């Protein structure tokens, strides 16, 4: 086991304290940078989409994983981002300005929702965000003059600073750029007082309040940041979809985002990325299942939500810390071999954490 | 302005709809009071209930009542098993995981129902046909009247159950303080599972009674979300509050749909968001802030 001696404050807040982590992350970054040389256009597009979902996942992770506020409505921010960007672009606003405006708008709407949600807790919040999603979906469908209604809306071609980015590798690098920005930003966030107040709110609102954290404001901030990042993901998603329809941003899409962060591991940024990888692989697994299962079962329309639901249930019941938690355990097992014990990672349970007395 | 006839018609429709929401919300609130878990899949229990009653009814050659009773009991068993086998394992996990889990159940149930019974709209034959005259020129459809009567009946039954029977009082005790109830020798785990079963039975009954009004397909579980909205409007922790909220939502909905057809179906959520914005605890407050 590698022993870390912390002699300076910088050692304590370093992103990747261990050599092994540096090598692994370096390899991943190198692969991502070199991907256009290695992959065909189709797979490159899929990889770009994976990055977009990773961004959206990090957005939701900051809210649900790190601040402990459940939102079933994040597909709404994805939709707001995508539609707002497409509308701005088609009115001739340049890409760079449109991205900034869209992200800001999404963040502001998020803060407004967070303002109304900051006094709520637990499931009031979950249901309020769900209702918000349904309202946004209806709005996107009914506001035909603006959004094209249920008929859909075409997204203008990708053009950054006057340069048209039509080929797959150019779009991929754009996605990659924003992924780096968001991952670094999110990792940095949790070294700042703001980010740490989020963690405090998640672990116990009462003790956070006692330590002088403004709980309401922390929740509003978390909502704003989370919505802004998800809106940014929506912008990139719009260019991948090329044609927007309101039913893309439905409850199922929210469930997909939820699945990503639960399966990846709540409360960890790598978890959101693991989750995005899994969600991107699911369609492959589904088409495989459709071949393997008897046709009467394999051709059913409800297979996708069924699979999503089952994976979530299995993970929450058997591995609540997700893939990232499993990976930590595995690593710990090898690093401390042969001292790993079953009880090394036993969670401390708190029974009946009542919400009636807060 | 609307003619009086339309007003009465819409109000009666809304009243029946509100009662149906109230029936579903009863299950939500019961489970919430017992375990502080909000079962987002409760609407799906209702949907499964409707489908199960339909399946039994077809198996029995169209007789409604035996199918109704058997179907409700089947869903009750499903509810009991869900709690005993799955929900009990994850006690102590963060409430976020538990919400996500119940939402995932909702999706699983919907897919399973679709795979078993198909995705088309089916209809159930019930003995509630025709209309009952209300005096004057007003009349109410029997199927809607049945919902209203069933809601009143179930509320009275539940009230008697919780105030008079040994089990009901034990459940109240467990809901107020689980640990103390446990020390008093109350089998808290079993009672919680039974509460789930009762909630599921009520939801299934609501599903079967609503079947003539809404027809049966896999999306009627979404009514559960509206019922949840109603329960939140009234205040989640109290049964009368939740029922009142559901009646309010149910009566507002047909008027809103009639006057503003663009926002058809989403008025309950607007009302709920408004109430949450103005009074985050619902109209009847149930939580209390601890003074530090």
């Amino acid at each position: 086991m590698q022993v870390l001696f912390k002699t300076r404050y910088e050692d304590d807040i370093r992103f990747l304290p261990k050599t092994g982590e540096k090598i692994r992350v370096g390899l991943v970054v190198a692969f991502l940078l070199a991907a256009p040389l290695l992959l065909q256009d189709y797979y490159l597009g899929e990889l770009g989409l994976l990055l977009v979902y990773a961004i959206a996942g990090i957005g939701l992770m900051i809210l649900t994983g790190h601040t402990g506020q459940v939102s079933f409505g994040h597909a709404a921010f994805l939709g707001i981002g995508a539609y707002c960007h497409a509308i701005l672009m088609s009115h001739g606003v340049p890409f760079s300005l449109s991205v900034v405006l869209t992200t800001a708008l999404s963040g502001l709407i998020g803060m407004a929702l967070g303002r109304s949600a900051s006094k709520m807790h637990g499931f009031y919040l979950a249901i309020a965000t769900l209702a918000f999603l349904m309202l946004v979906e209806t709005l996107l469908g009914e506001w035909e003059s603006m959004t094209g209604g249920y008929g859909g809306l075409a997204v203008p071609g990708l053009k950054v600073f006057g340069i048209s980015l039509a080929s797959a590798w150019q779009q991929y690098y754009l996605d990659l750029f924003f992924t780096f920005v968001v991952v670094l930003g999110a990792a940095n966030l949790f070294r700042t007082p703001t980010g740490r107040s989020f963690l405090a709110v998640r672990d116990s609102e009462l003790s956070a309040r006692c330590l002088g954290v403004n709980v309401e404001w922390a929740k509003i901030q978390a909502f704003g940041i989370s919505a802004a990042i998800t809106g940014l993901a929506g912008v990139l998603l719009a260019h991948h979809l090329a044609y927007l329809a309101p039913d893309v941003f439905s409850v199922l899409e929210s469930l997909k985002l939820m699945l990503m962060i639960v399966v990846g591991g709540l409360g960890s940024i790598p978890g959101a990325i693991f989750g995005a990888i899994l969600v991107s692989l699911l369609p492959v697994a589904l088409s495989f299942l459709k071949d393997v299962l008897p046709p009467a079962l394999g051709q059913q329309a409800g297979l996708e939500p069924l699979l999503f639901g089952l994976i979530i249930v299995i993970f929450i019941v058997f591995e609540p810390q997700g893939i990232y938690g499993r990976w930590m355990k595995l690593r710990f097992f090898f690093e401390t071999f042969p001292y790993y014990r079953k009880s090394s990672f036993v969670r401390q349970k708190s029974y009946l954490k009542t919400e009636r007395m807060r | 302005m609307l003619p009086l006839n339309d007003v009465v018609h819409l109000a009666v429709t809304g009243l029946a709809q509100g009662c149906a929401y109230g029936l579903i919300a009863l299950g939500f609130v019961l489970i919430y009071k017992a375990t502080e878990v909000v079962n987002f899949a409760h609407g799906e229990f209702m949907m499964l209930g409707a489908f199960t009653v339909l399946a039994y009814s077809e198996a029995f050659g169209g007789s409604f009542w035996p199918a109704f009773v058997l179907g409700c009991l089947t869903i009750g068993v499903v509810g009991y098993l869900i709690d005993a086998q799955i929900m009990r394992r994850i006690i102590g996990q963060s409430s976020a995981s538990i919400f996500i889990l119940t939402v995932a159940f909702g999706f699983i149930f919907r897919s399973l129902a679709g795979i078993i019974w198909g995705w088309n709209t089916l209809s159930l034959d019930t003995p509630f046909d025709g209309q009952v005259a209300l005096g004057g020129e007003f009349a109410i459809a029997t199927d809607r009247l049945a919902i209203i009567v069933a809601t009143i009946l179930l509320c009275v039954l539940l009230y008697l159950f919780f105030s008079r029977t040994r089990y009901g009082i034990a459940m109240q005790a467990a809901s107020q303080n689980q640990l103390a109830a446990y020390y008093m020798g109350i089998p808290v785990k079993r009672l919680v599972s039974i509460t789930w079963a009762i909630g599921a039975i009520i939801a299934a009954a609501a599903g079967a009674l609503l079947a003539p009004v809404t027809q049966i397909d896999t999306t009627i579980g979404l009514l559960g979300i509206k019922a949840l909205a109603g329960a939140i409007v009234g205040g989640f922790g109290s049964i009368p509050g939740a029922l009142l909220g559901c009646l309010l939502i149910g009566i507002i909905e047909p008027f809103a749909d009639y006057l503003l057809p663009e926002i058809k179906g989403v008025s309950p959520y607007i009302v709920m968001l408004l109430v949450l914005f103005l009074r985050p605890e619902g109209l009847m407050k149930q939580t209390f802030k601890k003074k530090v």
Side-chain angles (χ1 to χ4, degrees):
Chain A
M1 188 185 180
Q2 194 182 7
V3 179
L4 291 171
F5 287 105
K6 292 176 179 169
T7 52
R8 290 171 308 160
Y9 183 61
E10 282 77 40
D11 290 335
D12 203 39
I13 59 171
R14 214 182 275 158
F15 283 136
L16 304 167
K18 291 181 182 171
T19 327
E21 280 178 339
K22 276 183 196 138
I23 295 172
R24 279 189 292 269
V25 172
L27 281 176
V28 171
V29 171
F31 168 74
L32 287 176
L33 284 174
L37 300 174
L38 307 171
L39 296 175
Q40 289 163 345
D41 276 4
Y42 172 73
Y43 294 105
L44 208 56
E46 293 292 302
L47 195 59
L49 202 58
L50 190 156
L51 293 178
V52 172
Y53 272 107
I55 295 176
I58 290 170
L60 184 58
M61 187 66 91
I62 288 175
L63 189 66
T64 302
H66 291 110
T67 321
Q69 311 299 311
V70 184
S71 164
F72 287 121
H74 256 56
F77 293 112
L78 218 52
I80 289 172
Y83 268 95
C84 176
H85 177 67
I87 291 166
L88 282 177
M89 287 278 280
S90 55
H91 282 75
V93 181
F95 179 85
S96 43
L97 185 61
S98 170
V99 166
V100 174
L101 285 178
T102 305
T103 311
L105 176 81
S106 180
L108 280 178
I109 295 176
M111 283 175 98
L113 184 66
R115 154 69 185 77
S116 56
S118 65
K119 294 233 164 39
M120 296 175 216
H121 54 273
F123 79 93
Y124 280 97
L125 186 60
I127 184 72
T129 50
L130 189 62
F132 173 72
L133 170 63
M134 292 182 171
L135 286 183
V136 169
E137 207 187 329
T138 313
L139 185 73
L140 291 180
E142 294 292 338
W143 198 4
E144 280 182 25
S145 57
M146 207 64 171
T147 64
Y150 294 102
L153 180 71
V155 182
L158 191 54
K159 212 179 228 186
V160 183
F161 296 121
I163 309 159
S164 176
L165 303 183
S167 44
W169 67 270
Q170 288 165 321
Q171 194 184 3
Y172 169 77
Y173 274 130
L174 190 75
D175 294 340
L176 191 61
F177 168 73
F178 281 114
T179 311
F180 280 146
V181 170
V182 167
V183 169
L184 278 178
N188 212 20
L189 177 69
F190 293 104
R191 311 194 301 180
T192 63
T194 313
R196 302 223 159 150
S197 71
F198 291 177
L199 300 180
V201 168
R202 173 191 67 185
D203 290 340
S204 163
E205 278 185 30
L206 190 63
S207 28
R209 208 184 291 276
C210 292
L211 290 168
V213 173
N214 186 343
V215 174
E216 276 80 29
W217 177 232
K219 285 186 191 172
I220 294 174
Q221 280 175 317
F223 256 99
I225 294 173
S226 165
I229 294 177
T230 315
L232 176 66
V235 168
L236 299 172
L237 187 66
H239 286 293
H240 275 280
L241 294 175
Y243 202 78
L244 302 175
D247 55 348
V248 175
F249 307 101
S250 63
V251 184
L252 189 63
E253 191 75 4
S254 265
L255 190 77
K256 205 163 147 186
L257 292 177
M258 248 341 164
L259 173 105
M260 271 168 51
I261 63 165
V262 168
V263 171
L266 282 174
S268 65
I269 292 166
I273 298 168
F274 283 133
I277 296 173
L278 187 99
V279 163
S280 307
L281 288 179
L282 268 184
V284 183
L286 263 178
S287 61
F288 175 72
L289 264 183
K290 276 178 185 161
D291 293 340
V292 172
L293 289 175
L297 201 63
Q299 298 305 319
Q300 287 287 348
L303 216 53
E304 191 182 2
L306 181 67
L307 200 65
F308 278 13
L310 276 180
I311 293 175
I312 291 183
V313 170
I314 289 169
F315 264 93
I316 287 184
V317 173
F318 295 107
E319 183 53 276
Q321 279 141 337
I323 298 175
Y324 184 68
R326 178 54 54 186
W327 158 244
M328 294 282 277
K329 283 176 198 170
L330 199 72
R331 213 176 65 189
F332 190 72
F333 175 82
F334 283 112
E335 282 174 354
T336 60
F337 189 80
Y339 295 116
Y340 184 85
R341 289 288 174 274
K342 231 184 159 177
S343 56
S344 296
F345 274 94
V346 166
R347 289 168 304 126
Q348 196 175 1
K349 288 188 174 181
S350 61
Y351 289 97
L352 193 74
K353 219 158 124 190
T354 180
E355 284 178 351
R356 286 177 217 165
M357 285 295 262
R358 285 199 311 156
Chain B
M1 267 314 287
L2 288 168
L4 180 67
N5 203 359
D6 281 4
V7 172
V8 171
H9 180 70
L10 286 178
V12 167
T13 312
L15 195 64
Q17 196 69 13
C19 283
Y21 293 155
L23 276 183
I24 306 168
L26 271 180
F28 274 124
V29 174
L30 283 180
I31 293 174
Y32 177 71
K33 281 184 89 98
T35 57
E36 304 226 335
V37 167
V38 179
N39 179 19
F40 280 95
H42 215 73
E44 269 66 30
F45 276 138
M46 175 197 130
M47 184 256 316
L48 282 183
F51 272 118
T52 317
V53 170
L54 177 67
Y56 280 125
S57 167
E58 278 170 0
F60 296 156
S63 52
F64 178 72
W65 288 109
F68 179 75
V69 173
L70 214 56
C72 290
L73 287 179
T74 311
I75 299 303
V77 171
V78 172
Y80 189 97
L81 288 178
I82 291 261
D83 180 67
Q85 294 302 318
I86 296 167
M87 299 311 285
R88 197 178 287 171
R89 287 169 190 256
I90 62 158
I91 295 174
Q93 277 195 37
S94 75
S95 51
S97 318
I98 297 177
F99 297 148
I100 299 166
L101 183 70
T102 56
V103 170
F105 273 129
F107 275 86
I108 293 177
F109 287 155
R110 210 175 304 160
S111 302
L112 281 181
I115 288 172
I116 297 172
W117 287 291
W119 301 91
N120 301 325
T121 305
L122 305 172
S123 62
L124 173 66
D125 289 332
T126 55
F128 315 118
D129 297 327
Q131 290 189 327
V132 177
L134 289 180
E137 52 188 306
F138 308 123
I140 177 171
T142 316
D143 44 14
R144 296 190 196 276
L145 189 67
I147 297 169
I148 299 174
V149 171
T151 309
I152 298 169
L153 210 64
L154 274 171
C155 287
V156 172
L157 273 180
L158 276 179
Y159 175 76
L160 290 178
F161 175 73
F162 278 110
S163 58
R164 299 287 161 82
T165 64
R166 211 177 142 78
Y167 264 93
I169 290 169
M171 278 178 187
Q172 279 196 40
S175 150
Q176 279 172 17
N177 190 333
Q178 272 193 358
L179 210 56
Y182 198 73
Y183 291 152
M184 294 298 117
I186 292 173
V188 174
K189 285 182 180 173
R190 203 172 74 221
L191 283 186
V192 167
S193 299
I194 291 175
T195 312
W196 271 77
I198 294 176
I201 288 174
I202 298 174
L209 291 173
L210 260 180
V213 182
T214 57
Q215 307 302 329
I216 305 175
D217 66 14
T218 50
T219 58
I220 58 171
L222 286 178
L223 283 181
I225 308 288
K226 286 184 186 169
L228 197 53
I232 284 175
V233 165
F236 213 83
S238 77
I239 292 182
L243 280 175
L244 268 182
C246 284
L247 283 180
L248 191 70
I249 288 261
I251 290 179
I252 289 174
E253 197 183 5
F255 284 100
D257 284 356
Y258 186 83
L259 298 172
L260 297 164
E262 300 85 35
I263 56 160
K264 193 169 170 51
V266 293
S267 57
Y269 310 124
I270 296 175
V271 174
M272 182 190 73
L273 283 178
L274 273 179
V275 168
L276 281 180
F277 202 80
L278 300 172
R279 283 186 67 104
E281 309 285 352
L283 295 176
M284 291 188 187
K285 198 168 179 174
Q286 278 289 316
T287 59
F288 305 96
K289 215 166 236 170
K290 204 186 254 176
K291 287 269 181 343
V292 183

